[in-house]
Amino acid sequence: MDAKITPVEPYQRKYLKKDVNYSQWESLNKFAQELIKQPIHSTEDLVDFLYKKNELDVVVGEQMENYYLESFRFVNAKDSDPNSKQIQNELRSNKNKTDGILMKKILNSGFLDDLLKSKPELRQMILNIQNKHKIHTEKNESVIARLNELKNQYKKINAQHRIIVSGEEMVLHKAGPAVKDAPRVKRIETALAVEDCHEKHSEALDEIFDELVEKRHIKAIQAGYQNFVDYTWTEWSRVDYRPKDCSNVCLAIETHFIPIYKEIFEKRKQFLGLKEAFLFDLYSDLGNAPAPIFPKTQEEFCSKLKQVFKSIHSDFAEAFNYLVEQDRLDFETRSNKMTAMFMTYFPERRLPFVFYMPVNTVHDVHGTIHEVTHGIHSMYYNRYSLLGLQSPGAEVSELFTMSMELISFDYWDVFFENRQNLIRAKLRKLENCLGLLRMVGLWDTFQQWAYLYPDHTRQERNLYWDALSKRYDFGITPIKPISPEENTGWQRRPLIYTYPFYMIEYAFAQFGAFDIYRQYRENQTQTINNLIAAMKLGNTRSIQETYQTAGVQFDFSDATVKKSAEFLSNEYNRLFEQLEF
């Protein structure tokens, strides 16, 4: 595992034809049937079976990642093949059915104990197989297909979320930054336009979420679970914490971080000379330095990112340069591009693809560093031959990305040559950490309620959200009055629709990242070496073991949350004192 991070060698097929594009299940069915019939009479037979199944996973995974990525990159594009969606659904459906049979063969082989004694690094992979088998049932095939349709409907609505600002059409998340330096009346006018846009699509989003909750609950019941919360915990192999732990973390965030957020927001209001402030007032820059000019092109932006990664470690610079050379980045702004940021991994090419929609704020800097770090991480774990040994859970992968965001602080001067702009950018990033943790507390708590009470009405949902948002309020004045029973602010988070419960991991990772950043200030070389060693583990160790390799503990106790809050508060105040007003 100490090989150079580049070049990346693609997966070499051993059982399927090398020159065939297996985009349809019909071409894979014969191989799948052979796997189903293959006997397992020894540990060696089981290993052979795992590698053959792995090849099926890799080839189908490559196709599905292609479909997934294109649905974000070119939202309104017409399929070149009118039967494309049907082909995707058939591929996904048949693969899921086959997986159920193959997982059962693995688990019932009688040789798992011997396998894990000789190859303990497979333990996490086998745990994932066991949990996937627990939730697998063919009764859910039609439900899963419908859920995918609903998510695609949401994506299309999300792509329509646009307003006109100063004669330019733009996506909603760019509206605030676009008017941050405008007169306040313009900020208010733009904020009202954003609200109108949300209201325009609110009914459609309600309908989609109603059915998502219904279908996800049905999926859980048909798999033998009482609710979708418990189903999700098994699906994601969450064995290190329970839903109650997440509720406690959210309460600790409310207790220790929201008061800090209130204090910081009060400073902003004082600087702006406002008695009350709206959400768009948050975008106004602190201090008296002129606004920074962000790179206009992807090429220019990447040249600066190269310098940042080079300053941290040669491996990271080498990996990033390789991604640029292989055209594995999309940082452009396009009208037909989904508002999102993510890294997706192509298992046959063994390469990541990093997707990001720019907003011309400091978020472009730490957001791209975050997602590129996911890509770099994949270039460490892609050397494991079995796909199940490669990518760990988000609790681990987000530790690396969020640590890198903070570690990169020291090298942001390539983006912000004016020192006051640099300080301001760091303050904005720390505010982003606060906003992230607030978001985790809000939406994780909201989702647990929504799926534990799946028969709730729309009014009950809005009332619950309204009460919850008041608990996490840090002083924002609503841009327009809204009654509690009509408060649909919960609709603003895409992950609720597309990737439910994928949020709490960010809180765990943020607490660990604060610790890693503290260590980096004391010993840069050792801290980075620890991170790289942990990245190389892929999915071969438990969450606790990987965190320990990275030099921290997987700890989300109230004391840890309080310690993290104090660190953020002290760091923010230290930087704030350096601002010139």
Side-chain angles (χ1 to χ4, degrees):
M1 292 301 297
D2 292 324
K4 286 176 63 65
I5 198 167
T6 66
V8 174
E9 296 296 331
Y11 175 85
Q12 297 298 316
R13 296 180 189 174
K14 296 179 181 178
Y15 311 104
L16 291 164
K17 294 180 180 179
K18 293 180 172 59
D19 56 349
V20 175
N21 178 22
Y22 291 98
S23 60
Q24 299 187 41
W25 184 257
E26 183 181 5
S27 58
L28 288 164
N29 189 52
K30 180 181 177 183
F31 180 67
Q33 293 305 314
E34 289 173 355
L35 270 177
I36 290 171
K37 295 174 183 176
Q38 180 174 325
I40 302 176
H41 297 309
S42 66
T43 304
E44 291 73 20
D45 286 349
L46 178 56
V47 171
D48 179 68
F49 182 85
L50 287 172
Y51 275 93
K52 287 181 178 177
K53 179 187 179 298
N54 181 70
E55 186 149 311
L56 182 64
D57 294 339
V58 167
V59 170
V60 175
E62 187 83 3
Q63 294 294 334
M64 298 314 298
E65 291 304 327
N66 272 319
Y67 291 134
Y68 175 78
L69 180 60
E70 293 306 293
S71 73
F72 281 87
R73 295 191 75 192
F74 308 105
V75 176
N76 299 316
K78 293 183 179 179
D79 294 322
S80 56
D81 181 351
N83 299 316
S84 175
K85 283 187 172 59
Q86 181 180 346
I87 292 171
Q88 292 176 46
N89 289 336
E90 287 179 357
L91 184 62
R92 183 185 293 110
S93 176
N94 283 292
K95 177 62 165 56
N96 286 341
K97 290 177 183 177
T98 303
D99 276 346
I101 299 171
L102 300 183
M103 287 188 293
K104 188 174 182 179
K105 281 178 70 74
I106 294 168
L107 300 177
N108 294 341
S109 67
F111 299 102
L112 274 183
D113 289 343
D114 288 341
L115 177 68
L116 292 177
K117 285 178 183 177
S118 61
K119 296 180 181 293
E121 68 274 12
L122 300 181
R123 192 168 301 280
Q124 295 301 120
M125 185 185 86
I126 296 301
L127 173 64
N128 289 340
I129 290 174
Q130 289 170 331
N131 285 328
K132 285 180 182 178
H133 180 66
K134 285 179 184 177
I135 65 172
H136 179 83
T137 172
E138 290 190 14
K139 291 185 290 186
N140 275 335
E141 289 304 316
S142 61
V143 178
I144 292 171
R146 179 57 183 160
L147 286 170
N148 288 325
E149 290 174 1
L150 290 168
K151 286 190 282 187
N152 285 331
Q153 288 179 24
Y154 169 76
K155 290 177 185 177
K156 288 183 178 179
I157 292 175
N158 181 279
Q160 296 171 27
H161 277 183
R162 298 174 179 276
I163 60 171
I164 304 296
V165 178
S166 301
E168 178 187 352
E169 183 183 71
M170 62 179 60
V171 293
L172 298 190
H173 77 289
K174 293 188 71 172
V179 296
K180 67 182 181 65
D181 298 320
R184 193 161 189 253
V185 65
K186 181 66 175 178
R187 296 206 297 273
I188 293 173
E189 174 190 321
T190 305
L192 287 169
V194 168
E195 288 300 311
D196 290 343
C197 183
H198 280 300
E199 290 175 9
K200 176 182 176 182
H201 295 104
S202 181
E203 178 70 21
L205 292 177
D206 255 334
E207 290 176 1
I208 290 173
F209 193 70
D210 285 344
E211 191 172 354
L212 283 172
V213 171
E214 176 195 357
K215 291 294 189 292
R216 285 167 177 162
H217 184 67
I218 290 172
K219 183 170 71 167
I221 296 298
Q222 292 186 162
Y225 291 82
Q226 290 187 339
N227 54 67
F228 184 63
V229 179
D230 292 342
Y231 175 97
T232 299
W233 251 250
T234 299
E235 181 182 25
W236 288 0
S237 295
R238 288 178 168 176
V239 298
D240 298 276
Y241 56 95
R242 299 301 303 156
K244 179 63 176 174
D245 295 318
C246 296
S247 298
N248 291 338
V249 167
C250 292
L251 184 60
I253 289 171
E254 179 186 348
T255 301
H256 299 298
F257 279 97
I258 298 304
I260 295 171
Y261 211 170
K262 288 179 179 178
E263 292 175 10
I264 289 174
F265 191 57
E266 279 301 314
K267 289 182 178 181
R268 278 196 168 275
K269 286 200 294 185
Q270 290 174 18
F271 167 71
L272 294 170
L274 300 173
K275 291 184 178 179
E276 61 176 20
F278 304 119
L279 182 63
F280 274 27
D281 292 322
L282 278 176
Y283 292 101
S284 298
D285 291 324
L286 293 170
N288 58 16
I293 299 174
F294 287 90
K296 301 294 184 184
T297 66
Q298 177 169 315
E299 182 180 6
E300 183 184 355
F301 192 83
C302 284
S303 70
K304 293 182 181 295
L305 283 178
K306 286 179 185 179
Q307 295 178 58
V308 173
F309 285 115
K310 183 178 180 180
S311 298
I312 300 173
H313 195 275
S314 59
D315 265 17
F316 303 157
E318 182 181 339
F320 181 73
N321 289 341
Y322 193 76
L323 295 179
V324 172
E325 293 167 5
Q326 298 296 315
D327 196 22
R328 306 302 294 173
L329 310 169
D330 183 352
F331 297 161
E332 295 177 344
T333 299
R334 296 191 306 276
S335 61
N336 64 339
K337 183 177 176 181
M338 180 82 169
T339 302
M341 52 181 278
F342 60 85
M343 182 283 291
T344 191
Y345 177 69
F346 287 77
E348 190 155 26
R349 273 170 273 192
R350 285 182 167 163
L351 275 175
F353 191 98
V354 182
F355 178 100
Y356 184 82
M357 176 73 105
V359 290
N360 294 320
T361 70
V362 67
H363 191 277
D364 290 351
V365 178
H366 62 79
T368 51
I369 287 171
H370 180 111
E371 298 303 335
V372 169
T373 301
H374 275 309
I376 293 171
H377 182 201
S378 78
M379 294 169 74
Y380 280 119
Y381 65 59
N382 65 7
R383 306 306 169 93
Y384 288 104
S385 52
L386 291 174
L387 197 56
L389 297 180
Q390 294 183 2
S391 179
E395 299 89 347
V396 169
S397 61
E398 298 301 343
L399 173 69
F400 304 135
T401 60
M402 300 180 90
S403 297
M404 195 70 74
E405 288 186 59
L406 295 173
I407 287 170
S408 68
F409 257 19
D410 293 348
Y411 314 106
W412 282 12
D413 55 333
V414 299
F415 287 98
F416 308 100
E417 296 178 2
N418 181 301
R419 175 166 169 73
Q420 286 295 301
N421 274 334
L422 177 62
I423 294 169
R424 191 160 60 188
K426 292 180 178 181
L427 288 170
R428 177 71 75 185
K429 168 55 192 165
L430 293 174
E431 290 177 15
N432 178 268
C433 291
L434 276 169
L436 170 72
L437 290 168
R438 175 179 178 268
M439 179 268 295
V440 169
L442 267 172
W443 270 282
D444 196 83
T445 304
F446 173 77
Q447 287 186 101
Q448 285 211 39
W449 176 85
Y451 291 108
L452 287 175
Y453 303 97
D455 295 327
H456 66 261
T457 65
R458 292 184 184 180
Q459 185 180 75
E460 288 171 336
R461 186 162 67 213
N462 293 343
L463 285 169
Y464 183 81
W465 172 260
D466 188 78
L468 187 63
S469 58
K470 285 181 171 64
R471 284 169 46 191
Y472 284 85
D473 175 56
F474 58 96
I476 288 285
T477 301
I479 194 67
K480 59 195 298 187
I482 187 168
S483 63
E485 61 270 15
E486 294 179 338
N487 189 344
T488 57
W490 56 269
Q491 294 178 348
R492 310 292 171 88
R493 191 67 194 165
L495 289 174
I496 281 183
Y497 293 87
T498 60
Y499 209 171
F501 288 108
Y502 179 65
M503 294 186 197
I504 194 69
E505 300 93 338
Y506 286 89
F508 299 145
Q510 187 67 77
F511 304 146
F514 284 142
D515 256 349
I516 286 174
Y517 183 44
R518 276 193 290 264
Q519 293 175 22
Y520 183 77
R521 286 177 159 182
E522 297 172 4
N523 190 329
Q524 294 185 2
T525 301
Q526 186 61 54
T527 302
I528 295 300
N529 287 342
N530 289 343
L531 273 180
I532 291 175
M535 284 182 174
K536 288 180 177 180
L537 293 176
N539 193 38
T540 66
R541 299 292 189 277
S542 68
I543 293 176
Q544 292 95 332
E545 289 172 309
T546 307
Y547 267 60
Q548 288 167 4
T549 302
V552 294
Q553 298 297 317
F554 182 62
D555 180 8
F556 42 84
S557 63
D558 185 80
T560 294
V561 178
K562 183 179 180 181
K563 180 182 176 184
S564 293
E566 291 172 348
F567 171 79
L568 187 149
S569 180
N570 292 336
E571 184 66 12
Y572 190 94
N573 290 331
R574 182 184 69 82
L575 289 166
F576 191 85
E577 290 173 359
Q578 300 176 42
L579 274 180
E580 296 174 359
F581 292 96

